[in-house]
Amino acid sequence: MIWTIAGCLALVAGVIGAFLPILPTVPFMLLAAFCFARGSARFHDWLVNRSRFGPAIRDWQKRGAIGRRAKRAAMVALLFSVLLSLALGFPHAVIAVQGVVMAGVAVFIMTRPDGEPSQPGIRDGER
């Protein structure tokens, strides 16, 4: 039950992240899939078979891959966050820490394999 609740919370955060540029979407969907895999096979199957997030989740689960489009979006979001911090006048120490953390995140993201190109209507196993 706790895994299912955690999955639902991650799913809600991911949906909110689809509309807010600062909150990431796919990491929350991956977390939701992880939690649902332990708490509810039905919810896990539902999420993994969604046309919007399913391919990214399957790519991550099978190969630790992140799609090129998602990588670009992540890099833009990281840059936007730093620029927003600069525009809001955050202290230089805060921006420096943010820059170091985000550089680490960027290196991690960019060193993941590229995900499969999306092919509408083709589900896993039908290729």
Side-chain angles (χ1 to χ4, degrees), residues 96-126:
V97 170
Q98 182 183 30
V100 168
V101 170
M102 289 189 176
V105 170
V107 167
F108 175 80
I109 290 171
M110 297 309 291
T111 58
R112 301 301 96 200
D114 288 339
E116 294 287 328
S118 102
Q119 298 175 4
I122 297 178
R123 295 225 184 238
D124 217 40
E126 295 179 351

Side-chain angles (χ1 to χ4, degrees), residues 17-84:
F19 300 101
L20 296 177
I22 296 174
L23 191 64
T25 301
V26 173
F28 283 113
M29 293 302 169
L30 293 173
L31 179 60
F34 175 84
C35 293
F36 288 151
R38 283 144 184 78
S40 171
R42 187 180 76 167
F43 285 158
H44 179 266
D45 291 343
W46 172 81
L47 182 60
V48 169
N49 290 312
R50 302 275 43 98
S51 62
R52 177 83 173 138
F53 300 110
I57 293 169
R58 289 190 302 271
D59 277 347
W60 180 258
Q61 288 177 334
K62 287 183 178 178
R63 303 181 312 117
I66 300 173
R68 288 182 184 164
R69 185 174 174 197
K71 286 180 181 182
R72 282 192 300 270
M75 295 304 110
V76 168
L78 292 172
L79 180 61
F80 177 77
S81 296
V82 171
L83 292 175
L84 182 62

